[in-house]
Amino acid sequence: MKEKIRDTATQLFLERGFKSITMDDIANEIGMSKKTIYNEYSNKTELIEDCVMHKFCGLSDGIDLIIAMDKNPIEELYEIKRYVLSHLNDEKTSPQFQLMKYYPKIYKNLKNLHFNKMQKCVMSNVERGLEQEIYRDNLNAEFIARIYYSGMNSIKDQNLFPLDKFPVSKLMDAFLEYHLRGIVTPKGKTILNTIINSNQE
């Protein structure tokens, strides 16, 4: 029962935002009484925290599986981007910013987890790219990881990048290409161009 509530609530929160969705909305969507939900969760904040952490852990596990496939680092970043996009509904209502505004403690915890995960993944990606000579040999892996994290967060700001001008999937593609073109070697550039061309076909 708890899993059904969490999965339904997560879907609704991602589609319409954390503030917009009420416990009544969730109960109606599942076809159960609100009292049943309160048997599992004492309040909406507790439910949101469970949804957010479960979603993060699921995405984190999926990213780990992609990394374990041992693709070349450039292809790996594109695979991770596709995977994350497919599980976040394009963030149409910018749930991250609603979370930041209305549930700051949950947001802060999620942000720390996200930062640590991305640092680890990107630093590993850069180090493997250096070993394979597809990234420039003068890179500082920690700097690249931090600037990548900063950029990924910036492009989610819909005041800077309004959805009508910058659809999420195209924006992420543009950012990823921008990031990679700054760090690849000629060998890496060939791989990058092949991936970009295949994505456009």
Side-chain angles (χ1 to χ4, degrees):
M1 179 62 70
K2 191 168 188 174
E3 186 177 338
K4 186 174 185 180
I5 294 168
R6 182 180 60 217
D7 290 348
T8 302
T10 299
Q11 191 67 26
L12 290 173
F13 289 143
L14 285 175
E15 286 174 358
R16 291 185 254 165
F18 293 102
K19 180 68 173 174
S20 311
I21 294 298
T22 66
M23 296 296 253
D24 283 315
D25 293 329
I26 297 162
N28 290 336
E29 184 72 20
I30 300 171
M32 64 170 58
S33 71
K34 191 162 62 170
K35 184 181 177 182
T36 307
I37 297 178
Y38 282 115
N39 287 337
E40 301 291 344
Y41 297 96
S42 59
N43 53 52
K44 183 181 173 183
T45 301
E46 187 181 308
L47 172 58
I48 287 173
E49 185 169 24
D50 191 30
C51 291
V52 166
M53 293 307 146
H54 186 261
K55 190 71 177 178
F56 174 81
C57 289
L59 284 169
S60 185
D61 290 345
I63 289 168
D64 287 343
L65 287 173
I66 291 170
I67 293 170
M69 293 166 71
D70 205 27
K71 295 174 177 284
N72 79 64
I74 296 172
E75 191 178 358
E76 177 182 280
L77 287 179
Y78 275 94
E79 281 294 321
I80 290 172
K81 182 220 66 166
R82 277 193 288 269
Y83 173 75
V84 171
L85 268 181
S86 71
H87 284 78
L88 289 182
N89 298 355
D90 284 352
E91 295 196 353
K92 293 183 179 68
T93 54
S94 190
Q96 175 177 295
F97 283 89
Q98 287 197 15
L99 198 65
M100 179 173 61
K101 184 174 181 181
Y102 300 108
Y103 303 93
K105 287 183 180 179
I106 298 173
Y107 173 79
K108 185 178 180 181
N109 188 25
L110 177 65
K111 190 176 180 182
N112 287 337
L113 290 169
H114 184 224
F115 174 78
N116 290 332
K117 180 67 179 180
M118 192 175 282
Q119 278 290 103
K120 182 181 174 184
C121 290
V122 178
M123 283 182 70
S124 171
N125 181 277
V126 171
E127 285 160 4
R128 283 180 285 116
L130 292 170
E131 289 169 7
Q132 297 175 29
E133 299 181 343
I134 59 175
Y135 293 162
R136 291 187 289 107
D137 63 8
N138 62 342
L139 297 177
N140 179 319
E142 185 172 359
F143 170 78
I144 297 299
R146 286 173 183 266
I147 206 75
Y148 185 79
Y149 171 83
S150 176
M152 284 296 289
N153 278 294
S154 293
I155 66 172
K156 291 176 182 176
D157 184 345
Q158 292 180 13
N159 291 316
L160 280 175
F161 298 98
L163 281 174
D164 58 336
K165 291 184 178 179
F166 302 96
V168 175
S169 59
K170 289 185 178 179
L171 183 59
M172 285 190 73
D173 273 335
F175 173 74
L176 193 50
E177 181 179 350
Y178 176 84
H179 164 75
L180 286 165
R181 288 206 184 279
I183 65 174
V184 293
T185 60
K187 179 181 174 182
K189 186 177 179 182
T190 300
I191 295 169
L192 176 59
N193 287 338
T194 300
I195 292 172
I196 291 170
N197 290 335
S198 66
N199 288 344
Q200 290 173 346
E201 288 174 359

